[in-house]
Amino acid sequence: MKVAAVQLEAVVANISENLARCERLVIDAVAAGAEWVMLPEFFSTGMAFDDALASAALPPDGVAVEMMMTLAKRNHITIGGSFLCRDADGHTRNAYFLVSPSGEILGRHDKDLPTMWENCYYIGGDDEGVIDLGDGRAAGAAVCWEFMRSQTARRLRGRVDVVVGGSAWWSIPSWHPKKIFKQLENSNSATATGIAPAMARLVGAPVIHAAHTGTLHCRMPWLPLRYRGHLEGGAMICTADGRIQARRDAWEGPGFALADVDLQRAAPTDAVSEKFWLHPRGAIPAAMWSMQRVHGKRYYKQKSYAPSKERTTT
């Protein structure tokens, strides 16, 4: 099976432009022979600390899923990706949808825990993320920092024939002292590169991991600083034993990684850690995880949660 992992350069909160960019990349991947095409998380909006995202969530039957269903049916491909999805209960979730070549939704997975300022825009889910492909096989969905957590490996281990997902992983900014922050970013970049191969070995299945690329500038929650950095990129396809078959680095810009993959589970080669985190987060991400989680939950209740047609404006 020839598969593609898309690398997208999104415009924050510009839904129509981002969907148009996704459509072009999918069409290009199909022209290159792809039968499966995976989009990254937040493919309709990108992600930053930006008030515009509070009103950028789409319904589960909105234009994002409609685009996926149309592209799947028209090109006879399987397609997946996640976006900010506002459900009927008024809550927004980071929902990963997988769509069959007939244009039918095979399944949905809601990311378990928002990362850092993502807490401002959605709440977590608690499903298993195992999606029946209808042919005796199953796909496991994992989104961004779910690749960082042992609970993800446990819920998918030995149960799926492929892991599909994507990330919007931002860099550590070049603050002072620059030497220290450069070292922190080097470690952050190495972690971003290693999550997909590691999950493949833990689960025992190939991984199709889509990504974002480009620069990212925005405010910082509760800090008198601006974030200026980039998306780590790294659209990647790995075998079940963690061998990287194809990768698109951040500096290559938007496009896709393409490879032939045997969509079949194998015996996991690595043991799952008893620790919560599979990989070290580093001092700065660990601090921001805690602080921005507190801030984000307050922000979400004020601006992103929509219990009725009228959203709270305080």
Side-chain angles (χ1 to χ4, degrees), residues 116 145 148 172 184 187-188 191 277 279-289:
M116 300 179 190
W145 269 31
M148 288 278 286
I172 293 178
L184 292 172
S187 177
N188 178 56
T191 300
W277 297 101
H279 310 276
R281 291 174 294 166
I284 298 299
M288 292 301 174
W289 170 274

Side-chain angles (χ1 to χ4, degrees), residues 260-271:
D260 289 306
V261 173
D262 183 11
L263 300 186
Q264 185 174 356
R265 72 191 71 180
T269 57
D270 288 357

Side-chain angles (χ1 to χ4, degrees), residues 88-171:
D89 62 1
H91 280 295
T92 298
R93 297 171 176 88
N94 184 358
Y96 193 97
F97 284 81
L98 191 65
V99 180
S100 76
S102 64
E104 297 179 357
I105 296 174
L106 290 167
R108 167 181 169 170
H109 165 62
D110 298 334
K111 184 178 175 182
D112 58 1
L113 297 170
T115 301
M116 300 179 190
W117 59 50
E118 293 175 13
N119 284 277
C120 296
Y121 309 112
Y122 69 93
I123 62 171
D126 58 3
D127 62 272
E128 289 291 296
V130 176
I131 300 172
D132 184 3
L133 297 177
D135 58 2
R137 296 179 300 173
V143 181
C144 202
W145 269 31
E146 286 189 314
F147 281 90
M148 288 278 286
R149 293 189 278 276
S150 59
Q151 62 194 36
T152 307
R154 290 192 188 95
R155 68 177 168 83
L156 301 180
R157 185 177 176 88
R159 300 178 62 191
V160 300
D161 299 276
V162 62
V163 176
V164 293
S167 66
W169 191 304
W170 50 88
S171 66

Side-chain angles (χ1 to χ4, degrees), residues 16-312:
S16 59
E17 176 61 25
N18 293 328
L19 294 185
R21 293 183 181 192
C22 287
E23 183 170 358
R24 287 195 293 269
L25 288 168
V26 170
I27 291 172
D28 288 346
V30 170
E35 300 167 78
W36 279 48
V37 183
M38 298 300 118
L39 299 168
E41 67 170 342
F42 308 125
F43 68 78
S44 65
T45 59
M47 176 50 63
F49 180 50
D50 190 316
D51 289 342
L53 288 172
S55 58
L58 297 168
D61 58 353
V63 291
V65 170
E66 182 181 339
M67 179 199 73
M68 295 170 72
M69 294 171 71
T70 299
L71 287 171
K73 192 172 183 179
R74 181 184 299 160
N75 298 287
H76 201 67
I77 59 171
T78 300
I79 185 170
S82 86
F83 62 94
L84 291 173
C85 179
R86 180 163 293 126
D87 291 307
D89 62 1
H91 280 295
T92 298
R93 297 171 176 88
N94 184 358
Y96 193 97
F97 284 81
L98 191 65
V99 180
S100 76
S102 64
E104 297 179 357
I105 296 174
L106 290 167
R108 167 181 169 170
H109 165 62
D110 298 334
K111 184 178 175 182
D112 58 1
L113 297 170
T115 301
M116 300 179 190
W117 59 50
E118 293 175 13
N119 284 277
C120 296
Y121 309 112
Y122 69 93
I123 62 171
D126 58 3
D127 62 272
E128 289 291 296
V130 176
I131 300 172
D132 184 3
L133 297 177
D135 58 2
R137 296 179 300 173
V143 181
C144 202
W145 269 31
E146 286 189 314
F147 281 90
M148 288 278 286
R149 293 189 278 276
S150 59
Q151 62 194 36
T152 307
R154 290 192 188 95
R155 68 177 168 83
L156 301 180
R157 185 177 176 88
R159 300 178 62 191
V160 300
D161 299 276
V162 62
V163 176
V164 293
S167 66
W169 191 304
W170 50 88
S171 66
I172 293 178
S174 183
W175 290 334
H176 291 284
K178 290 196 172 185
K179 182 177 180 180
I180 293 176
F181 277 89
K182 183 177 180 180
Q183 292 174 343
L184 292 172
E185 167 53 17
N186 288 341
S187 177
N188 178 56
S189 179
T191 300
T193 300
I195 57 168
M199 188 58 68
R201 294 190 297 269
L202 290 166
V203 172
V207 174
I208 310 170
H209 176 266
H212 283 263
T213 186
T215 58
L216 179 59
H217 299 166
C218 64
R219 296 180 295 130
M220 288 286 291
W222 278 352
L223 290 176
L225 299 169
R226 286 192 64 82
Y227 172 88
R228 296 184 181 276
H230 62 272
L231 284 308
E232 296 288 356
M236 186 182 299
I237 300 164
C238 306
T239 60
D241 61 359
R243 179 171 54 86
I244 298 174
Q245 289 184 281
R247 172 180 164 84
R248 189 173 185 87
D249 288 311
W251 60 266
E252 296 180 87
F256 52 88
L258 185 73
D260 289 306
V261 173
D262 183 11
L263 300 186
Q264 185 174 356
R265 72 191 71 180
T269 57
D270 288 357
V272 180
S273 170
E274 293 299 320
K275 297 180 180 179
F276 184 79
W277 297 101
L278 291 170
H279 310 276
R281 291 174 294 166
I284 298 299
M288 292 301 174
W289 170 274
S290 299
M291 184 186 74
Q292 292 180 7
R293 188 177 186 185
V294 174
H295 167 271
K297 289 181 181 296
R298 296 178 181 180
Y299 182 107
Y300 177 82
K301 290 180 180 179
Q302 292 179 330
K303 296 188 177 183
S304 297
Y305 175 50
S308 66
K309 292 183 180 179
E310 296 299 324
R311 186 175 301 107
T312 304

